Amino acid sequence: MISALNCPFCHIDDQQIIFQDELVMSFRDGFPISRGHSLIIPKRHIPSFFELTEQEHKSLLYALRIIKNDLDKELTPNGYNIGINDGLAAGQTVMHLHIHMIPRYTGDCTDPRGGVRWIFPEKAAYWLDNST
Ligand code: AMP
Ligand code: ZN
């Protein structure tokens, strides 16, 4: 288990921060999967979304909106994937809660249909399933 001591998100440089308030902050992902890929985190080192206090929850969702508006202005993406890998089984690699804010651009992949369903590629394209 990563503690706050060796957690990368507990040691983000001030220059990397694109938005913050008392409880939450946002910065660009260090290994972005799209232009503008950003992370929004509580300042408190907690692993799970479900451990947020009510005020942290509010601040996090407010920050999400701020980051969306900034990305819209700066990069004019055509859509967003917004997601949380909550828990090791769900693929979380940094055990400090973070919301992925992933701008999407028309034509950035061959067929974007299904979005986050592609965590299970064989089940993603439900529109091709004739069994139901
Ligand atoms: P997850 O797999 O959902 O826990 O995502 C962890 C995210 O953190 C990945 O998208 C990484 O690219 C990103 N990441 C890891 N280390 C750093 C770091 N030092 N600074 C910024 N982003 C990071
Ligand atoms: Zn941390």
Side-chain angles (χ1 to χ4, degrees), residues 13-65:
D13 280 351
D14 283 352
Q15 304 103 292
Q16 289 175 257
I17 297 172
I18 51 182
F19 172 81
Q20 67 176 322
D21 67 12
E22 198 188 324
L23 297 174
V24 305
M25 66 175 167
S26 179
F27 49 90
R28 292 283 197 260
D29 193 290
F31 307 85
I33 59 171
S34 78
R35 212 156 18 106
H37 180 179
S38 302
L39 302 174
I40 301 144
I41 70 167
K43 289 185 173 173
R44 198 163 61 93
H45 179 89
I46 51 169
S48 173
F49 181 77
F50 302 101
E51 291 177 47
L52 288 170
T53 65
E54 203 171 312
Q55 198 49 53
E56 285 170 333
H57 185 272
K58 270 191 197 150
S59 289
L60 209 63
L61 293 186
Y62 177 70
L64 186 66
R65 194 181 287 259

